[in-house]
Amino acid sequence: MSRPDLIILGPQGSGKGTQAKLLCDKLGYVYVGSGDTLRDMARKDSELGRKVRSYLEAGRLVPDEIVMPVLEEKLRSVPASQPVLIDGFARRLPQYEFLKKIWPALGRNDYQVLFIELSEDESVKRLASRSGIEKREDDQPEAIKKRLQWFRQETLPMIEAMKRDGIKLIRIDGAPSIEEVHGEILQKLELVET
Ligand code: AMP
């Protein structure tokens, strides 16, 4: 069965990265993640690396002119015959406009959006308790608040615009366990018998 390309979105702490990777392992999607890509860039000792790092540490969205070309290059590197799962892009309206512009040239069909929902209270609790190897440089309380704020102010309106454009939006409750959320995703993608 050919799989639809997917974009996975959700507030910080919703587990979207974990779910994205599970889906890739199970269903053979090629993972294209903006957060991972930016974290790799931030490790480089260059002007660009330092700039990206400063945004990540502050919990701010990295400027579009940095994120968009990087994502475009990643997407272009995947043959159109392979389904992609895009984690964390687009995150705001100009990025969505950009995606609409480049998508036809990638030779891909329509995509669907998986939206992992989680209340702000639950997001804060989860992020604050990340520890050890899970802990990321952007998990400081001030950065967490900033990330939730731009999710509300920038990502939610973009999701509304996607809906208006007729993109299939699949809402998933992110509160249950990792396994349960994974199961719900598979069901809603109609990839398992119910
Ligand atoms: P994530 O791992 O998807 O939660 O992303 C981690 C961080 O990378 C975010 O908090 C942002 O600072 C940055 N980031 C990821 N994706 C984007 C994007 N599409 N646009 C701007 N910044 C992004």
Side-chain angles (χ1 to χ4, degrees):
M1 196 205 314
S2 86
R3 311 226 182 272
D5 291 314
L6 294 175
I7 294 183
I8 190 162
L9 297 172
Q12 294 64 36
S14 63
K16 75 177 171 53
T18 304
Q19 294 298 335
K21 285 169 187 166
L22 282 175
L23 284 176
C24 289
D25 287 347
K26 183 159 178 105
L27 302 173
Y29 278 97
V30 176
Y31 179 81
V32 175
S34 52
D36 276 9
T37 308
L38 292 167
R39 278 188 289 277
D40 283 347
M41 289 170 78
R43 279 186 208 106
K44 301 229 165 76
D45 188 22
S46 63
E47 201 183 321
L48 181 61
R50 280 188 289 276
K51 187 168 178 188
V52 170
R53 187 157 64 240
S54 72
Y55 280 94
L56 294 186
E57 283 174 356
R60 294 171 62 198
L61 282 172
V62 175
D64 293 341
E65 60 270 23
I66 297 178
V67 182
M68 296 194 307
V70 174
L71 251 287
E72 180 177 7
E73 196 189 313
K74 286 236 152 192
L75 284 170
R76 281 190 195 281
S77 71
V78 184
S81 57
Q82 287 185 287
V84 282
L85 192 159
I86 309 173
D87 175 7
F89 188 89
R91 260 179 157 129
R92 50 198 303 260
L93 271 168
Q95 294 182 4
Y96 172 48
E97 292 299 328
F98 176 77
L99 196 66
K100 280 203 275 193
K101 208 173 74 194
I102 64 165
W103 196 259
L106 297 170
R108 297 187 166 276
N109 295 323
D110 292 346
Y111 51 83
Q112 300 179 0
V113 172
L114 282 175
F115 177 20
I116 317 272
E117 297 184 284
L118 194 70
S119 72
E120 287 204 10
D121 282 354
E122 192 59 31
S123 295
V124 172
K125 250 193 262 162
R126 285 192 184 179
L127 289 167
S129 66
R130 274 214 271 236
S131 60
I133 50 164
E134 283 177 88
K135 189 113 192 145
R136 302 190 328 208
E137 49 281 73
D138 48 358
D139 281 346
Q140 304 308 318
E142 276 314 303
I144 292 171
K145 270 193 231 143
K146 272 267 162 347
R147 289 155 77 203
L148 288 170
Q149 194 184 342
W150 58 243
F151 185 80
R152 205 183 325 115
Q153 290 174 350
E154 309 230 37
T155 308
L156 289 180
M158 180 197 74
I159 291 175
E160 289 305 311
M162 288 172 151
K163 267 192 347 206
R164 284 196 297 277
D165 286 347
I167 291 177
K168 183 168 175 191
L169 179 74
I170 302 169
R171 291 176 183 275
I172 308 286
D173 177 8
S177 70
I178 291 174
E179 293 71 27
E180 284 170 301
V181 174
H182 179 62
E184 192 193 342
I185 293 175
L186 293 179
Q187 273 188 12
K188 290 201 169 160
L189 286 173
E190 295 169 8
L191 293 175
V192 288
E193 315 231 322
T194 52

